[in-house]
C-alpha cells in the first residue's frame, strides 16, 4: 500500500493552511484532505455540500461545519490547527469554529478539489497548500497567515504577467538552432512590468 510520508496520522497534532476559492461544491464535500473514505480516517479543510467551511474527518459525526459560507466568489485563507484533540478553524486569520474530537487519520492519499471517496469533484481554485506535522504556536500561525494573506489575498500590488513577444529564427535543415528568446528577435524584447 502506498503511503504519504511525514503527514500526521491518527490524532497527532497538525496545522493546515489553504488558499482557496470555492466556486461551486457540485454536491460533494471537497477541498484539501488526506486519508481515505472510511469514517474518521480523513483530515482536511473543505467546503461541505452546502458550501460551509468545514474541518473534515469523514462521516457526518466526524465533520465540523463552521457555519460560515465558503462560496464567496474569491480567494480566502482557510486554516486549521489540531492540538491535543482540539481543532481551531480560521478564515483569513479569524477564528470561526473550535471543536474537540479524536481523529483516526491515516495517510493513504492526498486529494485536492475532489471528494476523498471518489463521489465527484467541486469547482474550486487552489493557490497554496501547506501542511505541518505539528500544531504551530499562535505566533507561528499568525506569521504564516500574514505571509499567505499578503502574497495571495491583500498583497496591494498585482503581479502582472510578463509580456512575451513572438520570436522568429532562421535555420538550415540538419543544423543546430541557436538563439535567445528573451531578446528582440524582430517583434520587440520580452519584458516583465513588475
Amino acid at each position: 500500500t502506498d503511503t504519504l510520508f511525514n503527514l500526521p496520522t491518527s490524532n497527532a497534532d497538525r496545522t493546515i493552511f489553504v488558499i482557496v476559492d470555492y466556486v461551486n461544491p457540485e454536491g460533494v464535500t471537497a477541498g484539501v484532505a488526506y486519508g481515505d473514505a472510511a469514517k474518521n480516517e480523513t483530515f482536511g479543510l473543505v467546503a461541505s455540500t452546502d458550501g460551509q467551511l468545514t474541518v473534515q474527518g469523514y462521516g457526518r459525526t466526524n465533520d465540523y461545519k463552521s457555519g460560515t459560507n465558503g462560496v464567496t466568489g474569491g480567494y480566502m485563507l482557510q486554516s486549521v490547527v489540531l492540538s491535543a484533540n482540539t481543532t481551531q478553524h480560521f478564515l483569513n486569520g479569524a477564528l470561526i469554529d473550535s471543536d474537540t474530537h479524536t481523529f483516526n487519520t491515516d495517510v493513504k492519499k492526498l486529494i485536492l478539489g475532489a471528494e476523498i471517496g471518489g463521489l465527484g469533484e467541486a469547482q474550486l481554485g487552489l493557490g497554496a497548500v501547506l501542511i505541518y506535522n505539528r500544531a504551530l504556536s499562535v505566533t507561528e500561525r499568525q506569521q504564516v497567515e500574514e505571509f499567505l494573506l499578503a502574497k495571495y489575498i491583500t498583497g496591494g500590488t498585482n503581479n502582472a504577467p510578463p509580456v512575451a513577444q513572438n520570436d522568429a529564427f532562421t535555420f538550415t535543415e540538419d543544423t543546430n538552432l541557436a538563439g535567445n528568446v528573451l531578446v528582440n528577435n524582430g517583434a520587440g524584447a520580452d519584458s516583465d512590468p513588475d
Side-chain angles (χ1 to χ4, degrees):
T1 272
D2 293 334
T3 58
L4 301 169
F5 295 103
N6 298 319
L7 289 178
T9 60
S10 192
N11 199 46
D13 291 354
R14 65 201 75 167
T15 306
I16 300 179
F17 298 92
V18 179
I19 296 290
V20 61
D21 178 9
Y22 294 109
V23 177
N24 186 339
E26 298 288 344
V28 297
T29 297
V32 174
Y34 70 94
D36 67 37
K39 290 183 178 179
N40 202 34
E41 293 185 7
T42 294
F43 191 82
L45 288 172
V46 298
S48 63
T49 56
D50 62 357
Q52 289 187 53
L53 296 177
T54 302
V55 175
Q56 185 179 41
Y58 205 80
R60 293 178 197 260
T61 60
N62 304 301
D63 295 341
Y64 294 91
K65 292 182 178 183
S66 66
T68 301
N69 182 22
V71 184
T72 60
Y75 279 90
M76 67 184 75
L77 171 58
Q78 184 182 13
S79 57
V80 63
V81 177
L82 172 61
S83 178
N85 300 339
T86 299
T87 59
Q88 291 184 304
H89 189 185
F90 299 89
L91 171 60
N92 295 330
L95 183 67
I96 57 173
D97 192 32
S98 182
D99 294 287
T100 301
H101 183 74
T102 302
F103 291 89
N104 189 29
T105 312
D106 64 28
V107 289
K108 293 194 177 164
K109 58 185 168 181
L110 172 67
I111 300 293
L112 308 174
E115 198 275 340
I116 199 160
L119 299 177
E121 300 168 351
Q123 292 181 40
L124 58 87
L126 286 173
V129 176
L130 285 75
I131 303 175
Y132 291 84
N133 62 359
R134 63 186 178 86
L136 296 187
S137 70
V138 171
T139 301
E140 291 171 323
R141 178 185 54 79
Q142 289 171 339
Q143 288 171 337
V144 173
E145 287 167 347
E146 287 173 14
F147 170 78
L148 291 172
L149 287 168
K151 181 169 179 69
Y152 293 100
I153 310 292
T154 63
T157 61
N158 291 330
N159 185 10
V163 177
Q165 303 297 336
N166 291 333
D167 292 298
F169 295 96
T170 304
F171 67 98
T172 306
E173 185 177 349
D174 296 327
T175 62
N176 291 333
L177 173 65
N180 183 341
V181 297
L182 300 177
V183 298
N184 185 349
N185 290 302
D190 296 343
S191 64
D192 187 351
D194 298 325

